[in-house]
Amino acid sequence: MEHIRTPKVEQVRLLDRFSNKSTNGTLYLTATHLIFVESGSNNSTSTAQEIWILHHHIASVEKLSLTTTGCPLVIQCRNFRVVHFVVQRERDCHDIYSSLLRLLRPVSYEELYAFSYNPKQSDQQRDEGWQLIDLGAEFERMGVPCDQWQLTNVNRDYKVCETYPRDLYVPITASKPIIVGSSKFRSKGRFPVLTYFYQEKKAAVCRCSQPLSGFSARCLEDESMLQAISKANHNSQFVYVMDTRPKLNALANRAAGKGYENEDNYSNIRFQFVGIENIHVMRTSLQKLLEVIGSRSVSMSDHLVGLESSGWLRHIKAVIDAAIFLSKAVTVEGASVLVHCSDGWDRTSQVCSLGALLMDPYYRTIKGFMVLIEKDWISFGHKFADRCDQLDGDPKEVSPIFTQFLECVWQLTEQFPQAFEFSDWFLLQIHEHVHSCQYGNFLGNNQRQREDLRLRERTHSLWAYLMSEKQMYSNPFYSAAYSESHPVLEPSTLPYHFKFWRNMYHQFDRSMHPRQSVLKTVLTLRENSREAESTLQALQDRLHQLGATPVVTSDPAPPTRDQRSNTLPPRPDSLILGAAINDKEVQRQANERQQQLQEEEEEEEVGQEAVESTDTERTVEGSSGTESRKQSYGELEGTYNSELAKEEPAVVSLEFGVARMTC
Amino acid sequence: MEFAELIKTPRVDGVILHRPFMPTVEGTLCLTGHHLILSSRQDNTEELWLLHSNIDCIEKRFLGSQGRIIVKCKDLRVIQLDIPGMEECLNIASSIEALSTLDILSLMYPFFYRPMFEVLEDGWNSFLPQNAFKDLETMTDEWRLSEVNKDFSVCASYPPLVAVPKGVDDDTLRKVATFRHGGRFPVLSYYHKKNGMVMMRAGQPLAGTNGRRCKEDEKLINATLRPGKRGYIIDTRAANVAQQAKARGGGFESEANYPQWRRISKAIERSNILQESLIKLVEALNDQSHNMDRWLSKLEASNWLTHVKEILTTACLAAQCIDREGASVLVHGTEGTDSTLQVTSLAQIILDPACRTIRGFQGLVEREWLQAGHPFHQRCAQSAFSNSKPRQEAPVFLLFLDCVWQIVRQFPCSFEFSDSFLVLVFEHAYASQFGTFLGNGTAERVKLSLPQKTVSLWSWVNRPQELQRLTNPLYEANSLVIWPSVAPQSLLLWEGKQQGGGGEVTTHERGPKMRARSVGPTH
């Protein structure tokens, strides 16, 4: 690659962000990644630490002034990883620095990783991956089209609105002239369309952009459009119109010929401001947050004051508050709601998708969550390319709107640990790939652009990849029965329920995390149990084949065999307990059966070979299974296993540095 | 005295009970000598049994002829009773007030409570000092069990038996006692098996302004050092506080007289400041404004998490000195009954896997809190709501439990007990049918004959059906030292503590593991 001047630099030190520790290693620069490999100081058996940083993930590179030990290079990533290298020779440092500067600012889409990434799939597999999520089927699932709502083809060729998808759903009574008229009265032509249909009450959630009302302008087509939305719902006399902006911002927009709906002009609407701040405020807020949490040895007080002054959690709460308002209006009052902000692709996407997440348990499953993102974010034209800074563009367009959405979802998973099929690892993976540009899903700003780029032919779909690893993202505490009994979530909005998402913003700062992870432990137990069960099954089948009578295991195992069974009594109402116990019991039973089997088979030698082969197979599967998980969780949860295995875990926090000095 | 004198209206019908996140119950309210009972007198409905001693304060309101009493409990629960009839309401309120502020120990409920369960093992005998010493003897012979305090004359807050270096005789101990605050001469708190280092605790030395010294004291603590080794004295007070203490006859060990010891000052706040912090925290939790910024600034202003961080850091430091530096440690503050115990007990949680089991934790609470003379009766007399003038109240023990919870959160598989066990211990420290936490020290407990006249909390806990409830299903014994992170990002607000308590804090559904309160299911 022409931009890479120095592909390899040795003797580079990686400084830990929050302690005085450092590791030595070699830095490699490739066309797609910056790679740091820890030099094998210990013997080759222990795995050396490797850090792979995708160029697209790099938000900024900074070269600090030369020190006695070398030239420091600080790299901030969009997935909130911060790495601090010290390169011995300034020349090398400068080479890396300038190469990175060029590499992290791609100017055309073709330079993005997605176009060169090749997971070795056939074209058919690639197509299947792209077909995994079908929005037409999703609207059918909601019960649309129906007697009040229909599919319109006005936007088949992106003629009415470029940033909308081709397929749009509108009220039956909204004729083409009404739609076209309404779109002319709406910012960027984004007229009101259906995004979610609450079948139980026939109430609709619609979205659009702000009206071009200025101080007095009105538009009869737009008014009849809202009328049509209202008429489509017999449950309620009126439609809520939620303007998700603070009132002041909406007022200011009037001067530019935009603004909000005048209640006098629209019959039967109820207008409501929600007060979510704009993209610039959100960008600044995140910057402040990162500054606060990035500073070393900060006191509790400074941390809380900083958290408050960043306003980040206040903004998160504002979004969730809005979603709760939406969900209550629809599910309790049975009213239809029209949501908009300025352009209707940032705050509107947040509120519509979160609202639907609260109302519909389907969106809380792994597949459903993908559908939700595909619908409210990708297809309705959230400007991923601009907001995530995919190409070298206007820095003022960058904003963590989608990150906020993911955080809101995480806050809900904390309040309802049983309601979501996925764990926060899933959210983190999505966040990772929204910025990685490794898959085609999030490239570009809208569907039309994606079609022009022929992404479906030239790139791969993230959803297919995530689906193939579904097991890793599952939340062991998920209960489908809970979802059935609690279809609508009613989260608390008391401030202390809103927490700092450490796993997101400190994902790569190992010292911040718990040393042991409940999630990981439970997943491991599950895996073990699954393996034990399949072994059991295999052995039983084998027995059948051999014509032997299966061993009857009606007599329970003597409790002395596994002492832990004494301290782990069954508690039927507990999910965690249930899982753990079952695992242990299953394991134990399986072990016993195996023993018994082996004993038996020692007598009749025929089956021995078979047993052995299953046995080895199992071990291989087992080890590879845990290994892959270790790698993938390694960075998130801290490799606690190796940590604990060392006699003296090297995790004393920086606090002790002070102590030592006093000593 | 008869309780009946205080109960003007023993029974009112048609009372409505409101509890946060639970259906209201209408029923009959009864007052007994020790309980406030509300029952709908139907099957399958929950009854409320509330100990008067659990009530921190009440508020009365009147809406026409109907009275309303808001009961705020020491375990941070808040409930509301709607009582028909002005007079009944007034009578009930004044009776509750009188009964909940009775300060006569011998009238407390534990003296009247008779267990409805079979006592398999008497908790009063489960954790005797002599048994703990037997374990110590298997590891080392450098210590002996001294009976110098058998009639509590040397130190009123120590138990009759304490472990001291073998080479130090009782006369020396008596002399040292006169040089330490409250007679609390240095005693063994923990022996680190791995390297034979020890942690001791004491009261502050009474050096005074003219720098009094005590050769015996120096001899005693030097006896714990290996030849050529240094030790650390961890003073839980800020350097200036320790300096000021000299003016009141206290002080610290001077460098000149204790050349083999390094002093480290860590600032853990004194009890009145901690009490204020708890009050502010609970106020913030009960703020109904739903305003994020206000919550964060109130949380910050309460300083609660700062205290948590400070205590944890000091405990880590003590553990580090012992395990990493291979040095012995002496911990003291002023009296040696509050912050000192927080540090010594938490350091043991970090260092000693045995303390992370249910039984081990009970032993730790017995050794380092009850027998070590933490004045539970004074500290837990009031909690966060009381508007009476604070005297000696302070959430010292609660902060300790909070710190334990923080470590549990960071090592969720290394503790045999679950959150609910910590909550249980917290509740019983403030109000209980068991005698375990009554009184201010062993001397008082002996005087009241608590072991004979009351039931121990441990007798109740150490039964299979209770242990089941309190066990952490993910527990796998971890024999290593566990170093928690004390970065602000790693510390959280303990929800179990306020759950149901602040009331509002309850979540709709908290996963089975998180259901912390015994108030009943929160679903």
Side-chain angles (χ1 to χ4, degrees):
Chain A
M1 289 285 285
E2 69 270 36
H3 307 304
I4 300 171
R5 297 192 206 168
T6 314
K8 178 179 174 186
V9 183
E10 284 176 335
Q11 294 287 313
V12 174
R13 265 193 315 136
L14 170 69
L15 304 185
D16 188 280
R17 204 172 156 207
F18 293 102
S19 72
N20 298 320
K21 280 180 293 177
S22 67
T23 25
N24 283 311
T26 311
L27 205 57
Y28 299 89
L29 192 59
T30 74
T32 52
H33 288 85
L34 178 72
I35 306 162
F36 175 81
V37 182
E38 190 187 350
S39 34
S41 50
N42 356 1
N43 38 8
S44 54
T45 46
S46 70
T47 44
Q49 185 196 2
E50 274 184 31
I51 297 178
W52 288 58
I53 300 171
L54 200 60
H55 296 329
H56 299 311
H57 269 147
I58 299 177
S60 74
V61 195
E62 210 182 338
K63 210 173 78 169
L64 306 181
S65 50
L66 196 66
T67 66
T68 47
T69 50
C71 188
L73 192 68
V74 178
I75 297 174
Q76 308 228 8
C77 300
R78 295 183 215 288
N79 52 8
F80 307 113
R81 185 204 283 274
V82 178
V83 282
H84 193 145
F85 293 118
V86 178
V87 185
Q88 269 191 339
R89 288 171 55 211
E90 200 195 354
R91 238 194 78 118
D92 292 337
C93 184
H94 185 77
D95 282 349
I96 299 241
Y97 173 70
S98 41
S99 305
L100 281 178
L101 273 193
R102 174 62 193 85
L103 287 166
L104 66 88
R105 296 258 170 273
V107 281
S108 76
Y109 282 106
E110 275 70 19
E111 284 180 55
L112 296 180
Y113 186 33
F115 291 95
S116 54
Y117 173 66
N118 181 7
K120 300 206 172 59
Q121 282 184 349
S122 68
D123 285 355
Q124 196 199 341
Q125 281 172 312
R126 181 203 303 244
D127 285 345
E128 276 169 12
W130 281 110
Q131 281 152 12
L132 186 68
I133 306 292
D134 176 2
L135 288 185
E138 168 57 13
F139 278 94
E140 248 170 63
R141 187 192 67 88
M142 294 181 211
V144 177
C146 61
D147 56 344
Q148 296 294 338
W149 293 88
Q150 64 177 359
L151 180 66
T152 171
N153 59 4
V154 288
N155 207 36
R156 262 288 128 81
D157 308 310
Y158 299 113
K159 288 237 172 74
V160 181
C161 175
E162 311 204 278
T163 58
Y164 267 170
R166 289 175 190 272
D167 292 341
L168 292 167
Y169 296 83
V170 291
I172 290 227
T173 49
S175 63
K176 204 164 173 181
I178 291 182
I179 294 174
V180 173
S182 166
S183 84
K184 290 200 172 119
F185 189 63
R186 292 275 169 183
S187 189
K188 308 277 193 313
R190 293 170 69 93
F191 59 94
V193 292
L194 181 80
T195 177
Y196 180 70
F197 188 66
Y198 188 65
Q199 230 173 337
E200 199 174 303
K201 302 232 163 134
K202 308 269 179 240
V205 178
C206 298
R207 55 185 290 173
C208 62
S209 60
Q210 64 183 339
L212 305 174
S213 51
F215 289 99
S216 58
R218 56 188 290 188
C219 167
L220 290 176
E221 289 94 336
D222 194 58
E223 284 160 29
S224 30
M225 185 75 193
L226 264 70
Q227 184 83 24
I229 293 173
S230 178
K231 285 270 163 59
N233 178 356
H234 303 301
N235 269 322
S236 176
Q237 297 297 313
F238 57 86
V239 183
Y240 278 106
V241 176
M242 273 174 85
D243 190 327
T244 54
R245 300 169 291 182
K247 184 168 184 188
L248 214 63
N249 299 23
L251 283 172
N253 262 304
R254 293 214 307 206
K258 300 162 186 172
Y260 55 93
E261 291 81 357
N262 182 341
E263 266 181 298
D264 300 337
N265 297 341
Y266 294 84
S267 51
N268 51 44
I269 68 164
R270 286 212 184 158
F271 189 83
Q272 178 83 31
F273 284 114
V274 178
I276 303 174
E277 299 287 351
N278 65 25
I279 57 166
H280 311 295
V281 175
M282 300 308 190
R283 180 179 56 241
T284 323
S285 172
L286 180 64
Q287 265 160 11
K288 276 192 199 152
L289 178 79
L290 294 179
E291 261 166 49
V292 171
I293 61 170
S295 41
R296 285 178 60 159
S297 54
V298 63
S299 77
M300 197 70 201
S301 206
D302 291 345
H303 175 68
L304 290 173
V305 169
L307 205 57
E308 183 201 331
S309 71
S310 77
W312 183 254
L313 288 175
R314 187 182 67 223
H315 300 313
I316 295 293
K317 182 173 181 303
V319 177
I320 292 185
D321 282 343
I324 293 172
F325 179 89
L326 170 66
S327 136
K328 279 208 177 127
V330 172
T331 58
V332 180
E333 295 183 47
S336 293
V337 183
L338 175 65
V339 186
H340 73 73
C341 49
S342 295
D343 289 318
W345 51 43
D346 294 313
R347 290 168 269 204
T348 304
S349 298
Q350 287 179 332
V351 174
C352 288
S353 52
L354 270 180
L357 191 79
L358 291 177
M359 289 185 261
D360 195 333
Y362 174 65
Y363 295 130
R364 293 174 229 140
T365 63
I366 289 180
K367 174 90 182 285
F369 192 65
M370 295 175 181
V371 171
L372 184 68
I373 293 176
E374 187 75 32
K375 173 167 73 72
D376 270 314
W377 292 86
I378 297 175
S379 91
F380 276 116
H382 173 70
K383 301 203 289 175
F384 278 105
D386 290 358
R387 299 290 178 259
C388 303
D389 206 13
Q390 287 169 355
L391 299 185
D392 194 12
D394 182 0
K396 285 217 165 74
E397 282 286 307
V398 180
S399 188
I401 302 303
F402 188 71
T403 308
Q404 279 186 325
F405 162 69
L406 292 179
E407 174 160 346
C408 291
V409 176
W410 176 78
Q411 301 281 2
L412 295 175
T413 63
E414 283 288 288
Q415 281 199 40
F416 302 94
Q418 287 181 282
F420 291 82
E421 198 194 356
F422 46 84
S423 65
D424 69 344
W425 181 229
F426 183 58
L427 300 175
L428 291 173
Q429 275 296 299
I430 294 175
H431 185 258
E432 177 93 3
H433 285 295
V434 164
H435 292 96
S436 74
C437 302
Q438 183 174 346
Y439 295 92
N441 307 59
F442 301 101
L443 299 192
N445 281 325
N446 51 57
Q447 291 297 56
R448 181 178 190 168
Q449 216 176 356
R450 283 179 201 112
E451 281 175 24
D452 291 346
L453 287 168
R454 293 187 294 117
L455 291 180
R456 282 176 176 243
E457 295 145 53
R458 301 165 68 197
T459 70
H460 295 265
S461 168
L462 171 67
W463 304 137
Y465 163 70
L466 292 180
M467 214 40 148
S468 72
E469 299 201 314
K470 196 177 166 190
Q471 276 312 326
M472 300 210 341
Y473 307 120
S474 77
N475 165 19
F477 308 119
Y478 174 64
S479 147
Y482 179 86
S483 286
E484 238 164 71
S485 56
H486 299 74
V488 180
L489 298 184
E490 294 171 45
S492 156
T493 60
L494 281 163
Y496 35 80
H497 285 304
F498 294 82
K499 300 176 206 157
F500 171 69
W501 191 7
R502 192 180 50 216
N503 279 358
M504 172 67 105
Y505 304 104
H506 284 302
Q507 190 184 346
F508 302 97
D509 301 313
R510 215 174 50 162
S511 64
M512 296 288 173
H513 297 289
R515 293 286 167 276
Q516 296 175 326
S517 151
V518 173
L519 179 67
K520 188 174 161 183
T521 313
V522 175
L523 284 176
T524 314
L525 286 172
R526 262 198 172 184
E527 178 106 336
N528 291 347
S529 136
R530 237 196 323 271
E531 268 164 30
E533 270 168 35
S534 65
T535 314
L536 179 69
Q537 192 58 48
L539 291 172
Q540 266 176 350
D541 292 350
R542 187 73 196 151
L543 264 184
H544 273 294
Q545 276 176 25
L546 295 170
T549 39
V551 186
V552 186
T553 49
S554 61
D555 59 322
T560 45
R561 189 165 280 184
D562 185 0
Q563 276 203 326
R564 224 176 278 124
S565 64
N566 286 334
T567 55
L568 283 176
R571 185 163 59 165
D573 63 335
S574 155
L575 214 140
I576 312 171
L577 270 165
I581 305 252
N582 286 344
D583 284 341
K584 294 240 160 74
E585 269 167 9
V586 168
Q587 250 177 312
R588 195 181 62 218
Q589 282 177 2
N591 287 343
E592 269 159 26
R593 282 192 184 200
Q594 215 173 327
Q595 266 181 5
Q596 286 170 338
L597 273 176
Q598 271 169 351
E599 280 162 20
E600 273 176 31
E601 273 156 8
E602 267 161 40
E603 289 162 17
E604 39 173 311
E605 286 189 347
V606 205
Q608 204 156 24
E609 210 178 52
V611 169
E612 258 170 24
S613 69
T614 10
D615 216 32
T616 45
E617 206 177 276
R618 194 177 57 102
T619 8
V620 172
E621 269 169 26
S623 61
S624 71
T626 35
E627 214 152 270
S628 74
R629 186 168 43 250
K630 198 192 264 172
Q631 264 174 12
S632 43
Y633 282 117
E635 298 197 319
L636 166 68
E637 306 287 357
T639 47
Y640 83 90
N641 263 335
S642 60
E643 195 88 318
L644 289 175
K646 287 179 200 159
E647 258 304 283
E648 298 201 357
V651 289
V652 182
S653 104
L654 53 136
E655 279 290 320
F656 305 133
V658 186
R660 198 169 272 145
M661 277 161 61
T662 0
C663 294
Chain B
M1 197 199 82
E2 286 291 323
F3 291 116
E5 292 166 18
L6 298 173
I7 304 170
K8 294 173 191 154
T9 307
R11 212 186 106 168
V12 189
D13 289 319
V15 175
I16 300 169
L17 166 72
H18 301 269
R19 282 177 291 186
F21 293 103
M22 290 170 76
T24 55
V25 181
E26 188 180 342
T28 305
L29 178 75
C30 294
L31 287 187
T32 71
H34 294 106
H35 281 100
L36 180 155
I37 303 160
L38 189 122
S39 167
S40 60
R41 299 212 252 174
Q42 282 159 9
D43 290 342
N44 304 325
T45 49
E46 239 187 304
E47 288 180 347
L48 172 79
W49 285 70
L50 186 67
L51 271 176
H52 293 313
S53 58
N54 192 358
I55 296 173
D56 207 21
C57 87
I58 59 167
E59 282 168 25
K60 299 180 288 260
R61 278 176 211 161
F62 292 98
L63 311 146
S65 67
Q66 199 192 22
R68 170 173 293 176
I69 301 180
I70 295 164
V71 182
K72 299 183 174 177
C73 305
K74 288 179 192 160
D75 59 15
L76 308 179
R77 238 186 309 176
V78 180
I79 60 170
Q80 179 189 318
L81 298 165
D82 290 346
I83 298 169
M86 187 93 86
E87 202 194 326
E88 282 85 350
C89 181
L90 281 171
N91 284 344
I92 294 278
S94 72
S95 302
I96 295 178
E97 256 164 6
L99 288 164
S100 64
T101 50
L102 270 188
D103 201 25
I104 307 161
L105 271 179
S106 58
L107 289 180
M108 299 295 250
Y109 185 53
F111 289 99
F112 299 82
Y113 171 74
R114 290 293 160 260
M116 302 284 280
F117 57 87
E118 191 193 352
V119 176
L120 299 173
E121 175 196 349
D122 186 357
W124 288 112
N125 300 325
S126 299
F127 306 100
L128 297 172
Q130 47 269 43
N131 296 346
F133 188 75
K134 270 188 201 121
D135 295 341
L136 181 70
E137 273 181 318
T138 62
M139 300 184 270
T140 172
D141 57 356
E142 291 164 3
W143 296 81
R144 69 181 183 94
L145 210 51
S146 165
E147 293 186 353
V148 68
N149 198 37
K150 66 169 184 278
D151 51 2
F152 305 104
S153 60
V154 177
C155 171
S157 57
Y158 272 170
L161 295 170
V162 286
V164 295
K166 201 160 220 172
V168 178
D169 58 28
D170 285 357
D171 282 338
T172 314
L173 292 178
R174 283 192 194 95
K175 282 187 189 135
V176 176
T178 60
F179 181 65
R180 292 275 173 180
H181 192 119
R184 293 176 69 91
F185 54 89
V187 294
L188 179 76
S189 161
Y190 171 66
Y191 180 86
H192 196 44
K193 198 175 169 185
K194 188 171 123 192
N195 57 10
M197 292 301 134
V198 294
M199 180 161 57
M200 290 174 296
R201 51 179 157 73
Q204 66 175 342
L206 302 174
T209 35
N210 46 10
R212 207 159 68 92
R213 68 185 283 189
C214 172
K215 286 268 168 56
E216 288 79 7
D217 188 71
E218 291 155 30
K219 185 185 156 208
L220 167 58
I221 71 164
N222 286 341
T224 66
L225 292 179
R226 299 272 159 86
K229 281 284 216 174
R230 298 170 71 95
Y232 291 88
I233 296 175
I234 295 177
D235 194 326
T236 61
R237 303 163 293 180
N240 62 327
V241 179
Q243 194 68 40
Q244 285 158 12
K246 282 188 169 181
R248 288 188 299 273
F252 52 86
E253 296 82 355
S254 71
E255 196 102 9
N257 298 340
Y258 299 83
Q260 285 165 286
W261 295 81
R262 273 282 161 86
R263 255 187 84 246
I264 305 171
S265 268
K266 295 299 272 181
I268 298 179
E269 292 293 352
R270 285 188 55 90
S271 50
N272 53 338
I273 294 176
L274 300 182
Q275 178 67 8
E276 216 172 283
S277 171
L278 177 67
I279 291 173
K280 281 190 187 161
L281 175 74
V282 172
E283 243 174 51
L285 286 166
N286 288 322
D287 186 329
Q288 292 296 324
S289 70
H290 291 244
N291 180 320
M292 196 72 217
D293 287 358
R294 201 152 135 195
W295 155 245
L296 284 173
S297 66
K298 280 188 158 189
L299 177 65
E300 191 269 317
S302 81
N303 273 329
W304 183 263
L305 289 172
T306 306
H307 300 317
V308 169
K309 180 166 151 49
E310 215 46 65
I311 295 165
L312 264 180
T313 309
T314 314
C316 288
L317 176 73
Q320 193 190 23
C321 290
I322 294 170
D323 187 68
R324 295 296 194 74
E325 308 280 322
S328 287
V329 172
L330 168 68
V331 185
H332 71 74
T334 305
E335 292 95 346
T337 53
D338 295 295
S339 52
T340 306
L341 305 183
Q342 289 173 331
V343 173
T344 55
S345 53
L346 282 169
Q348 292 181 49
I349 297 258
I350 293 168
L351 294 170
D352 187 2
C355 295
R356 299 173 214 144
T357 63
I358 295 186
R359 205 179 166 85
F361 189 78
Q362 295 170 11
L364 183 74
V365 170
E366 272 287 338
R367 276 197 326 272
E368 289 302 306
W369 291 89
L370 292 161
Q371 292 164 13
H374 176 67
F376 276 97
H377 182 64
Q378 289 175 357
R379 296 287 181 257
C380 301
Q382 303 288 346
S383 152
F385 299 109
S386 168
N387 26 29
S388 66
K389 200 168 158 274
R391 290 161 308 198
Q392 315 247 359
E393 292 78 13
V396 176
F397 187 63
L398 174 58
L399 268 166
F400 157 70
L401 294 176
D402 197 327
C403 292
V404 174
W405 180 83
Q406 305 285 353
I407 307 177
V408 171
R409 279 300 294 242
Q410 296 188 29
F411 296 87
C413 307
S414 302
F415 287 82
E416 196 194 0
F417 49 84
S418 62
D419 280 16
S420 23
F421 180 56
L422 295 175
V423 176
L424 177 105
V425 174
F426 158 62
E427 288 173 335
H428 284 278
Y430 276 84
S432 174
Q433 65 269 45
F434 303 106
T436 301
F437 290 100
L438 279 190
N440 286 320
T442 311
E444 216 172 301
R445 286 186 195 105
V446 169
K447 215 170 99 198
L448 289 164
S449 337
L450 288 180
Q452 292 78 41
K453 293 187 178 165
T454 71
V455 183
S456 163
L457 171 63
W458 316 131
S459 304
W460 183 66
V461 168
N462 289 327
R463 293 172 308 136
Q465 55 270 56
E466 269 318 300
L467 290 173
Q468 269 180 27
R469 211 171 59 78
L470 303 169
T471 306
N472 168 16
L474 297 178
Y475 174 61
E476 288 218 43
N478 170 6
S479 62
L480 297 169
V481 176
I482 52 177
W483 300 105
S485 159
V486 293
Q489 290 95 322
S490 307
L491 301 179
L492 300 162
L493 199 62
W494 181 17
E495 299 194 358
K497 179 185 68 199
Q498 328 110 21
Q499 208 170 7
E504 301 72 15
V505 192
T506 295
T507 35
H508 307 264
E509 166 271 324
R510 250 292 154 213
K513 171 173 78 83
M514 297 286 287
R515 210 194 296 142
R517 278 268 152 167
S518 50
V519 221
T522 48
H523 291 272

